[in-house]
Amino acid sequence: MIQGRVHRTGLEWLSSLPACLLLLAVVLFSTSSDIHNQMLQAGEQLWSGYYKLRMDPEVPECNPNRDVDAEVARELALAPPANDPMAALLGEYDKDPAEVRVAVERALADCRAAHVGYQQLQGSLTPGVRIYRSLELFVADLISFGLTAQRYLLVILVMLCAVTATLTRHHIAMRAMETRLDHVVSHTLQTIANAMLFASSVIFRQSSLASSTTVSAGELLLHNFWITGFACLTLASLFRLFRAPAGLKAGGNPAQALLAVPLYTVMCLISGTYFALIGHSSGIGIYLGKMMELSDMFLNVGLYVWVGMMLKQTRVATLVFNVFRPWRMPPELLAVVAVLVAAVPTAYTGASGIFVIAAGAVIYSELRAAGARRHLALAATAMSGSLGVVLRPCLLVVVIAYLNREVTTDELFAWGGWVFVLTATLFAAVALVCNRQSPLNLAPAAEAFPASVRALRPLAPYLAVGFAVVLFYRYALNVAMDEFSAPRLLPVIMLAILLYEHISLRKGKGGASGELDHPGLEQSVRRATNDTTAEIGALLLLLGLSVSLGGVIERAHIMDAFPQAFDSAWTAMLLMVLILVVLGMIMDAFGAVILVTATVAGIAYASGIHPIHFWMVTLVAFELGYLSPPVALNHLLTRQVVGEAEVLAAQQEPGNFYQRHERIIMPLIAMGMALVLVAFGPLLFYAM
């Protein structure tokens, strides 16, 4: 799980304020291109030919007052050398005076037209044009700077947030640190792993400088950023090693202590050791450097985390549950509704884990308040983000389409809708048929429906605020809300919603719901960014080391042990399913997609598996992996948001084997059946 928070004082702005500014800069840079396009169109509408006015016109060098007769005489007098065979061949000894005059007159006409055009442009450069042009060129320079700065922003953001996650003990591990031995083992291995990262980055820098290829100043600066960041990360883990938090139990179990080691540390130790043994110590640094090739994607991940944390600060999740509360649904049906409703925000927050962190606590508490047993509430919370990853505009699908030319986002999202219907149906069947322990009695529609309608009213302003932002982008900036624009629109929407809450609740409109003590805009953004820094540090560092671990798998040629193509698509699909589920267990989704693209995907295509079918299977297999032991990342995140005490209480509840492990088995049954149907069902139609 997330290792656990330490108390953060007002000094948290030392990390979260720079992170907030970096994330705002990403939004600004990505939006500036839209603004610039509109400025160019507006300039052309205000001043015809504005594109010619963007730069000061240059005075033509030709003379518009030349004498034609003198110029013709000069041209005729210019005879080529007598020993020039090419001139003789072309007949240049015998120039026709009439043709020379026509050429001179044309050149003079062109010259005079150029001077007239110059005078017209000079006359068009009014003070208004100059002011507008200065502003437009500033935005253009801002875009250019933003494109160049993306890589540096990503490195600074990753390193800043990784140090914060280390100091606040917020890295993702199998279990929290509870004993002194847990603390010593975890932070000792973290320090070793961070030192490996530092050394690999230094070696990578030196090998780059020693190579025959010239290293640009920008690349050298990037190397220095990585080295400085990993040096700070090593010092942070060393500081934590000697500053144990209060409240740790004495003693500890060595095997359990190893489970408290962060997952990124385990990946780093594995990959670092492998690269050192094969004499390629710069390997980790090289694969981390590959993150820069997809810097915009990883920055979007950071933005989605920020969106999720801002969503957590709003009343949206609670207000949505208020709509369904009047129906007095049995716990199993409410769990189904919660998972289905969560699919939409999951698609907009980019990954299932982000949504679990953002809204998992609300989902769990609402289900428990409705009478759900702990295991059912934990299972629904862990699955709350699993169904929406195939829906538009999920970032993971966009990354797949970006890395694989065989598929498009439209194709993937179209089939993703059908996969969503299938997984939702299977989860509902498992919850309501196989797992139901309560009678399926709902409140009378005459009573529940009006109450639900009344509960929709507090949601209306939130919908209006989001719709207003979307309309502004659509008509002011000509940007439609889709999978490509969502990363820059969603932070603006969430900031607008937080501003609305600040204004409305401060004025007393939240009095009926007892929320007059709303912390305000600054506190809400601060809390969201505080959570974001730790989450970005944990997730992006884990993602980066997943890429490095994928490099180990790639360089070890593990996939070479398998045929590069299978005669049977059925056999190939069986192998693909096993590999993809295992990757989902041990790797972050984005790192796994990069690895699968480089290794497994080609084998699947060559074996007759349709690319769209293969990637639908990949997405479902990954989600099953996130719910499967031994790692079960979504369960680890659920443990983080609901608290260790709730999970321990669930584990101590009596019952048969299924009842005591319902939170694990129930999602596995639903997603397992979905994977089997998605993987092998379509083969019946095109692989027979």
Side-chain angles (χ1 to χ4, degrees):
M1 63 173 290
I2 304 295
Q3 288 184 333
R5 296 181 183 276
V6 294
H7 178 66
R8 302 181 74 177
T9 66
L11 295 178
E12 77 269 1
W13 268 125
L14 292 176
S15 63
S16 57
L17 180 58
C20 182
L21 295 177
L22 288 171
L23 293 169
L24 287 174
V26 174
V27 175
L28 176 62
F29 290 147
S30 59
T31 306
S32 60
S33 61
D34 304 321
I35 298 174
H36 185 249
N37 290 335
Q38 294 302 108
M39 292 184 70
L40 289 176
Q41 294 181 18
E44 190 64 29
Q45 291 176 356
L46 293 173
W47 303 283
S48 179
Y50 171 74
Y51 69 95
K52 295 180 180 179
L53 301 174
R54 297 182 69 237
M55 299 296 175
D56 287 331
E58 296 183 0
V59 180
E61 297 180 355
C62 62
N63 181 9
N65 300 315
R66 289 178 297 173
D67 184 272
V68 175
D69 294 332
E71 190 69 20
V72 170
R74 189 180 68 82
E75 287 291 332
L76 293 175
L78 292 176
N83 60 353
D84 188 348
M86 183 58 69
L89 182 63
L90 297 176
E92 293 186 3
Y93 286 109
D94 302 320
K95 292 184 177 181
D96 187 347
E99 293 181 354
V100 172
R101 176 173 291 276
V102 170
V104 170
E105 290 176 346
R106 285 178 180 173
L108 184 59
D110 292 341
C111 177
R112 289 172 177 170
H115 277 271
V116 171
Y118 169 75
Q119 295 296 330
Q120 290 177 344
L121 290 177
Q122 282 289 91
S124 299
L125 284 176
T126 62
V129 172
R130 294 181 183 276
I131 294 174
Y132 186 86
R133 184 182 68 175
S134 300
L135 183 60
E136 180 260 311
L137 292 177
F138 170 78
V139 176
D141 291 339
L142 186 66
I143 296 171
S144 177
F145 174 77
L147 292 175
T148 305
Q150 270 190 339
R151 299 184 301 166
Y152 309 111
L153 289 177
L154 177 60
V155 175
I156 296 172
L157 186 65
V158 170
M159 291 292 94
L160 174 68
C161 295
V163 170
T164 303
T166 300
L167 294 176
T168 57
R169 298 184 294 115
H170 208 89
H171 285 296
I172 301 172
M174 297 289 290
R175 59 183 292 271
M177 289 183 289
E178 299 176 355
T179 67
R180 292 188 178 277
L181 182 62
D182 295 344
H183 173 83
V184 172
V185 171
S186 177
H187 283 288
T188 298
L189 293 180
Q190 282 185 62
T191 303
I192 294 174
N194 294 336
M196 276 186 173
L197 293 170
F198 172 74
S200 180
S201 298
V202 172
I203 295 172
F204 182 32
R205 180 182 185 276
Q206 296 303 320
S207 62
S208 298
L209 292 175
S211 66
S212 57
T213 306
T214 303
V215 179
S216 66
E219 292 175 343
L220 186 60
L221 180 61
L222 203 60
H223 281 299
N224 294 337
F225 276 173
W226 280 117
I227 292 172
T228 303
F230 286 129
C232 294
L233 190 60
T234 304
L235 293 176
S237 58
L238 192 62
F239 171 80
R240 265 292 160 209
L241 175 61
F242 292 103
R243 289 290 298 271
L248 292 177
K249 301 176 184 177
N253 183 288
Q256 292 182 348
L258 290 174
L259 295 178
V261 177
L263 296 180
Y264 95 87
T265 299
V266 176
M267 292 180 178
C268 180
L269 294 174
I270 293 173
S271 55
T273 302
Y274 171 81
F275 286 126
L277 289 176
I278 65 172
H280 190 55
S281 299
S282 60
I284 303 180
I286 292 174
Y287 279 97
L288 285 176
K290 288 188 175 182
M291 292 177 66
M292 301 301 100
E293 299 174 7
L294 298 172
S295 57
D296 55 342
M297 180 195 80
F298 292 109
L299 287 172
N300 287 344
V301 172
L303 290 176
Y304 277 128
V305 174
W306 197 31
V307 168
M309 296 303 103
M310 285 192 284
L311 175 64
K312 186 178 179 180
Q313 295 298 318
T314 69
R315 303 161 59 223
V316 172
T318 300
L319 293 176
V320 170
F321 267 97
N322 288 345
V323 176
F324 300 101
R325 187 173 286 110
W327 293 90
R328 297 197 294 273
M329 297 178 182
E332 293 84 4
L333 180 56
L334 187 59
V336 172
V337 171
V339 172
L340 295 183
V341 172
V344 174
T346 297
Y348 280 92
T349 51
S352 58
I354 297 174
F355 182 79
V356 171
I357 293 172
V362 175
I363 291 175
Y364 180 80
S365 62
E366 292 292 339
L367 289 175
R368 288 289 292 152
R373 51 197 178 277
R374 284 190 174 89
H375 278 287
L376 175 62
L378 290 171
T381 303
M383 277 201 69
S384 61
S386 296
L387 304 190
V389 294
V390 293
L391 299 178
R392 192 183 299 269
C394 183
L395 178 62
L396 188 59
V397 176
V398 176
V399 173
I400 290 173
Y402 178 83
L403 295 176
N404 298 268
R405 296 182 179 180
E406 297 82 359
V407 295
T408 65
T409 54
D410 288 339
E411 293 171 333
L412 291 173
F413 285 130
W415 284 101
W418 292 107
V419 172
F420 168 73
V421 171
L422 173 65
T423 53
T425 302
L426 291 173
F427 177 69
V430 172
L432 299 178
V433 178
C434 306
N435 214 53
R436 184 161 56 87
Q437 299 180 20
S438 306
L440 194 58
N441 296 326
L442 299 177
E447 171 189 340
F449 185 75
S452 291
V453 172
R454 288 194 297 271
L456 282 172
R457 293 174 185 170
L459 270 175
Y462 292 87
L463 296 175
V465 169
F467 192 58
V469 174
V470 172
L471 286 180
F472 172 79
Y473 270 81
R474 179 65 183 87
Y475 292 103
L477 301 179
N478 196 28
V479 176
M481 181 68 162
D482 55 26
E483 61 270 25
F484 305 105
S485 62
R488 61 182 183 271
L489 263 72
L490 288 174
V492 179
I493 291 174
M494 293 310 305
L495 288 170
I497 287 176
L498 287 175
L499 178 61
Y500 161 74
E501 282 197 346
H502 170 75
I503 296 173
S504 62
L505 296 179
R506 284 290 184 178
K507 287 183 176 180
K509 294 182 180 179
S513 57
E515 298 194 45
L516 284 176
D517 58 344
H518 186 265
L521 179 63
E522 191 271 341
Q523 282 291 333
S524 296
V525 174
R526 176 186 290 205
R527 291 175 183 177
T529 311
N530 288 345
D531 293 339
T532 300
T533 52
E535 300 300 342
I536 289 178
L539 288 176
L540 288 187
L541 199 58
L542 179 62
L543 196 157
L545 270 300
S546 293
V547 175
S548 180
L549 185 62
V552 172
I553 297 174
E554 183 180 1
R555 292 183 66 91
H557 303 292
I558 294 176
M559 295 308 301
D560 291 348
F562 301 95
Q564 295 306 298
F566 290 84
D567 295 333
S568 170
W570 294 82
T571 304
M573 181 58 76
L574 179 60
L575 177 64
M576 296 297 110
V577 166
L578 295 176
I579 292 175
L580 294 171
V581 172
V582 171
L583 289 178
M585 291 181 183
I586 64 175
M587 293 186 68
D588 174 86
F590 295 98
V593 164
I594 295 173
L595 176 62
V596 168
T597 299
T599 56
V600 180
I603 299 176
Y605 304 157
S607 301
I609 299 175
H610 194 281
I612 297 176
H613 181 201
F614 171 75
W615 285 110
M616 286 295 104
V617 173
T618 300
L619 291 171
V620 178
F622 282 174
E623 289 304 318
L624 179 59
Y626 303 146
L627 296 166
S628 303
V631 179
L633 181 60
N634 281 9
H635 286 289
L636 297 181
L637 297 176
T638 298
R639 184 190 297 257
Q640 157 66 14
V641 297
V642 306
E644 183 80 16
E646 287 295 314
V647 178
L648 292 176
Q651 293 172 346
Q652 295 170 2
E653 291 181 351
N656 56 36
F657 179 83
Y658 178 84
Q659 291 171 340
R660 287 183 285 109
H661 299 88
E662 180 184 9
R663 66 186 181 90
I664 300 292
I665 298 176
M666 179 186 173
L668 291 182
I669 293 175
M671 294 303 296
M673 290 192 301
L675 179 58
V676 171
L677 292 175
V678 171
F680 298 102
L683 293 180
L684 294 171
F685 298 95
Y686 73 85
M688 295 299 292

